[in-house]
Amino acid sequence: MESEPWIPTIQSFIKRVADSAETGHILKTLSHLLVSQHRSDCSATELCSQFSFAQSYFVSGPFEELLYRLLPLLSNLEFVTSNSKYLSAIFLDGPADVSFEVLYAGLSGEYATVTQEKCVVYLSQLVAAGKLADIMVCKCSTDSYMLNGEHDSLVQAYACLPDKAANRFQQNVPLNLQRNVYYPTLYKSILLSLNDVKVRLQKGLSSSVAFISLLIGKLCVHGLAMDLWTALLADIMVNQDFLLSRVFHKVVSGIAVTALDSTIIPLLRCVYHYDDISALLGNTIIDSKKLQYLIMDKVLLHKFYTSADVSKLLYNVIGYLASSPSRVHLYHTTFTKLLQVWADASSIRCVSLDQHMYISKALVVCSTFLSSHSSDSLKMPLFKDLMSGLQNHLTNSDSSIRHIGMAVAQILSAKLNPQLEKKLEFDYDDDQIYRELVSLETCPTLPDSSAYEKQSKNILGDSPEDASGTSEPVLGKTQYGEDLDSDDDLEPLGEFEDKARPTEQPASYLGECMQGLMSADNPEKVESCLKVAPTLIRRSRVMTEEVSVEFAKVLLHMESSVVIENFVLLHHESLVSLLVVSPVPVAQYLCKEFSARNYNVRQRLDMLDALAAGAVQLADPKAEHEQKPSSLVEEMTTLNVGDKPSEPNWREIVDRRIEAKTRRFASASHTADTSVANRFSAVAGHFFFPLLLAVRNGEREYNPFNADTILLVQYFYTLGKIVASAQNCLLAPRMASELLQVVWAFRCYKELAVQKAVVFCITMAIMVTPVQDLLRNASLTEAHQYLLALAGTSPNPELQEMATKVLSYLQHQVQIGMKSKT
């Protein structure tokens, strides 16, 4: 091509931008390529004769590189002043999407404050010039396939610009970049782009709404869903345009799966009538399995709502499913599933009263859409489930559960089986539960479109006259005047009254406790449930065995997002209580999850601590509330844990040894200890062998010990404590042999803490091995040589002392074995 020789010319110009001697001339030349797109009297003969080619090449290729090269130069005030005209042309007249991304990146901490101020000014000018809508219209005007993650940085800039600017400059932000002005402008830009897509479709042109779907999902994830839908619904609902509704169907179907919850649930709560939901979503739910799961399962079964708009939400969900012949089969499936969950005895016991009431309300709403022409093949199975559920409700000890069962059965039976000679009626008080359920039998009416317009005006409002964004932020002064610190206009407050802070009622049942621990938006509820969790787990043993693994999942994924007193201790006690009450399934689950990828070091350490403490408590029932390991284990862990352990209490150790070796010929009467079965002997293998696979599977799969040495050290101590707890069990010798094989590969590890952990494991293996097998075990013979080498040549005195103690104990055990043979 004749124009190709000019490509190196443009590239060399961009590489020489940092050269202050030529920068002005280069910027002037390059800016002509952008300004001439809007000004017909501008020429670019200085660059090349093939102007159109150079222009298209520059815009599509090196333009982004040029902007990134210019960002550091914006801190030079002399340079910015002398080239302000050309800089404005490059940043404001070039491709707006590239400028927006680069300027947003300029707000990061790697650039000088002066550069960030200039970036804010240019961003404000882009917003004031309507570039937000222009970029979206440009992104929607193509039907090309969008690569995964192609527009992530631009979407992030759109959604987070006000917060990023406020984080850098606090109150010194241009008006049109403040939240209360920027986001309404963004919502209007989304409406403009949607209408532009509609116009293009009317003309037969191709369009794409993938960018808008990504942007709406990102805004909803950032907590702007209610304002966004309030602003958009007025335009869509008032016009009642079929083509615009079809465009909106495509937008919803393109929302990312990770943003569906944050997007669809607020939409269901904003819309006034289920007919409007049908217009907005259409039959999108039929093609999207994720949307089916969200609307049919998550909203109705997994979540529950107690706010004032719960009836509107339920009518929108169920009415949307039942209002179209193409979706009525989903309504039947939902009705059946809801009734089965409501009637199940286990569900009645496990879920909270609020959630059960929510499911009951959903059933009443479902019954209002049950047509009198529905076939008996649909109604009769539902009637049978209703009767079985009624029996489970009436036999419940909670009076509220019994009232719910009677009220729901009375309402639904009249619609499921109207041929009954005698209607199902109950003699009970007309309480609040019955009134709430009966009130749901009346379908809401379709409101006037003016309701949407009123709400939209509260969000969008009128564009402020001073939102041009041309003023630069001035550090040290605020936009609200210099008298901001004056308190003349403040009204005096009355004296604060000491009021008792309302406390959350502690959970009484295990299911309620689990539900409370998942209430991330209610810290008081989480704290109260966490405090009673160990007591409920140990008290309700039968119920705990049914939900032990699910409870362990909830505890394992809990985080101390708020300040909860003794969070670590309460969390640990709850996990240990689960292991003591239901050892096999919980131990297998924790050992399996220990090697999984989706956990951090803190969570893995929690698993190891719980497994070790659970093994000790199961081996010694007296230590169920106070863990007291054997004297040898306690002495070894006192010397082993950590690279720089605290000074051991040697006086207590000496006194304990003297007391153990002192022979008394006359003493007070001693009552014989009652023998108690070792509960750990039957389940020791479930604690030890699955956990042992973490090292062996880590060689060919995911290795959790690559993250931190602390995890490896704690892993060895946990294995050692489990083996020590299995003393005198049939599996103990085999467990000791397997433990020696695993730790033997780490005997030459450079970390001192790992070497101490290896010595600890060798000690535990010696302790549980029968004395007659000590000399015949080849692994112990090798361990003996290793301990001799440590005692003689180790440069660390603590490690030498540990090895010497273990050798002394091993020699003592061997002598006992030899005496028993003779």
Side-chain angles (χ1 to χ4, degrees), residues 448-463:
D448 187 22
S449 58
S450 60
Y452 292 109
E453 292 180 338
K454 291 179 181 178
Q455 284 195 342
S456 178
K457 287 181 179 178
N458 294 333
I459 300 298
L460 296 179
D462 297 327
S463 299

Side-chain angles (χ1 to χ4, degrees), residues 3 19 47 114 125 132 136 174 192 214 254 380 387 496 551 563 580 615 624 652 664 690 717 775 803 822:
S3 311
D19 188 355
L47 184 63
V114 179
Q125 292 174 357
L132 293 178
M136 281 190 275
L192 288 174
L214 285 177
M380 292 312 297
M387 291 297 102
F496 293 101
F551 208 134
V563 178
V580 172
E624 188 166 338
E652 291 183 3
R664 303 183 185 278
Y717 281 123
L775 297 177
T822 58

